Amino acid sequence: MDGQYLSHSSSYAYGSEDWPEFYDLWVESLLGTGPCEDIPVFRSALKRRVAECNGVHTINVVDIGTGTGRVIKDLWQEPNGSLKGVSFWGLDNAQAMLDRAKLTFSVSEATHRSESSDRPARLLPIWVQAPAADFTSHLPELVGKTDLILFAAGGIGHLTADDEVIGFLTQVRQALRLPEHSELPRAVISVLYEMIPEKNPDLAVEQRRGGTGLPSGEALDGDYKIPSRDHTGVMYSKSPTVSQWSHDVRTDSFTIKIVKHRAGQEGEVFKEKDVAWSLRIFDEKAFKDAVEKSGLRIEEVREGETQRWYFLAPSGARK
């Protein structure tokens, strides 16, 4: 089950082979090159797991909707070899994103190793194509063996199909280690304020009018252009986003053009594609009900500048 592919099929932005590099460049232009605000949150959760497990077993960390691997690549840089024995799993249902994650991670790791001869040996990340609501079927080896599950950057908002959220949470419960273990496995789920009604009062207004603008304040007066780093003479061009509502689901659509420039000539568009994704408004009551029905409980809620994190643990596990 994957609501994005069901809704958008081949036009789903993250499934496009031309999307991954543009995505990385776009996110960098919006958020900068440093670790985002979620990395300290995830890093503290991971350090806690390392301390609790105390080397008893390999610590499996699963990053759902890993995209191009941002979270894993940032967590991987933990100093002093303290992540020895930690195994990272990057899961995404878009193979093009995973391909870029694997490539950029390999390049980054090779660079770090060339700069530091005493860099400790570590378990390399495993990149797997799998949908959020059915990931244990693709990775049965993680059932009852997962110590930390991360779902970053409001990714849960992309679970728009009927029962997709409870399907995902059920998968979380199946993957986490059993409650009788002395240590407490957890999942950390991000929800963007952009999709939380009490944090973004404009949501109701957008819904009523059908909406053509984004709460992020994206300009609607021209294309956004950014040069490729991977391909010389290539420019990406993104049209302004158009948003449409269907009940509590917002679909964002835009056009990506790939423009090739040659010396002394105007740029030529050699590829153009209309793409889209959807986001569902966050219903906290429905989420809490789904958490309970899935055999989980909310252990902690933490607020950031742009998002909220829910820390989940198996029901019945000690606090």
Side-chain angles (χ1 to χ4, degrees):
M1 183 197 324
D2 190 313
Q4 299 298 318
Y5 283 103
L6 287 173
S7 298
H8 307 297
S9 187
S10 61
S11 67
Y12 178 43
Y14 290 88
S16 169
E17 63 180 12
D18 301 313
W19 176 252
E21 191 203 6
F22 171 77
Y23 170 83
D24 278 348
L25 295 170
W26 190 28
V27 170
E28 181 181 310
S29 72
L30 294 171
L31 303 177
T33 57
C36 297
E37 67 166 338
D38 54 2
I39 296 304
V41 174
F42 296 151
R43 183 168 287 149
S44 67
L46 179 53
K47 282 184 175 181
R48 184 176 174 183
R49 295 301 297 123
V50 170
E52 288 169 337
C53 293
N54 197 27
V56 173
H57 54 72
T58 297
I59 298 171
N60 289 311
V61 179
V62 176
D63 181 29
I64 303 291
T66 194
T68 56
R70 172 186 67 87
V71 169
I72 289 178
K73 285 183 281 191
D74 281 343
L75 292 179
W76 183 264
Q77 301 309 318
E78 185 69 19
N80 303 323
S82 60
L83 296 184
K84 183 180 180 181
V86 175
S87 181
F88 289 100
W89 301 71
L91 277 54
D92 203 287
N93 211 22
Q95 187 60 49
M97 299 293 277
L98 290 171
D99 290 344
R100 182 166 179 81
K102 186 175 182 178
L103 173 64
T104 53
F105 176 87
S106 298
V107 171
S108 174
E109 181 63 6
T111 300
H112 285 297
R113 287 198 172 278
S114 68
E115 295 171 349
S116 175
S117 58
D118 60 348
R119 191 172 175 84
R122 300 250 299 276
L123 297 170
L124 294 176
I126 301 167
W127 311 99
V128 180
Q129 184 176 15
D134 194 28
F135 69 90
T136 61
S137 296
H138 295 255
L139 293 164
E141 60 267 45
L142 290 178
V143 174
K145 299 289 182 63
T146 304
D147 300 278
L148 182 62
I149 295 175
L150 308 174
F151 204 177
I156 196 168
H158 287 285
L159 305 185
T160 55
D162 292 342
D163 298 324
E164 196 171 5
V165 170
I166 195 168
F168 162 66
L169 292 171
T170 300
Q171 295 283 292
V172 169
R173 180 61 192 88
Q174 291 173 358
L176 291 175
R177 290 190 187 273
L178 298 176
E180 57 262 27
H181 286 253
S182 58
E183 68 274 3
L184 182 58
R186 294 174 185 84
V188 187
I189 313 297
S190 160
V191 183
L192 295 180
Y193 288 160
E194 177 185 340
M195 301 308 292
I196 301 178
E198 64 267 29
K199 292 289 188 178
N200 181 13
D202 292 338
L203 274 175
V205 176
E206 288 179 33
Q207 255 186 302
R208 285 196 298 270
R209 74 184 184 199
T212 55
L214 289 179
S216 61
E218 179 182 339
L220 296 174
D221 56 357
D223 288 359
Y224 172 83
K225 298 179 180 180
I226 190 166
S228 168
R229 291 179 186 161
D230 294 350
H231 308 286
T232 302
V234 168
M235 177 80 71
Y236 292 101
S237 176
K238 174 191 171 295
S239 70
T241 302
V242 175
S243 300
Q244 297 294 330
W245 287 89
S246 177
H247 304 293
D248 61 345
V249 175
R250 189 186 78 200
T251 296
D252 298 336
S253 306
F254 45 90
T255 300
I256 293 289
K257 297 177 183 177
I258 303 179
V259 183
K260 184 172 287 187
H261 292 268
R262 294 182 175 86
Q265 299 179 16
E266 289 189 11
E268 174 189 355
V269 177
F270 74 95
K271 194 176 286 189
E272 181 174 338
K273 187 169 185 177
D274 296 328
V275 294
W277 62 58
S278 297
L279 287 164
R280 186 183 295 277
I281 288 178
F282 182 67
D283 182 335
E284 187 172 43
K285 181 181 184 304
F287 176 72
K288 288 180 176 179
D289 289 344
V291 167
E292 184 176 353
K293 289 177 182 176
S294 303
L296 299 165
R297 62 178 172 81
I298 297 174
E299 184 188 42
E300 180 186 355
V301 179
R302 207 176 290 183
E303 305 285 349
E305 292 185 12
T306 63
Q307 59 196 298
R308 175 184 296 164
W309 296 279
Y310 289 88
F311 289 69
L312 309 182
S315 297
R318 71 175 182 85
K319 297 185 179 180

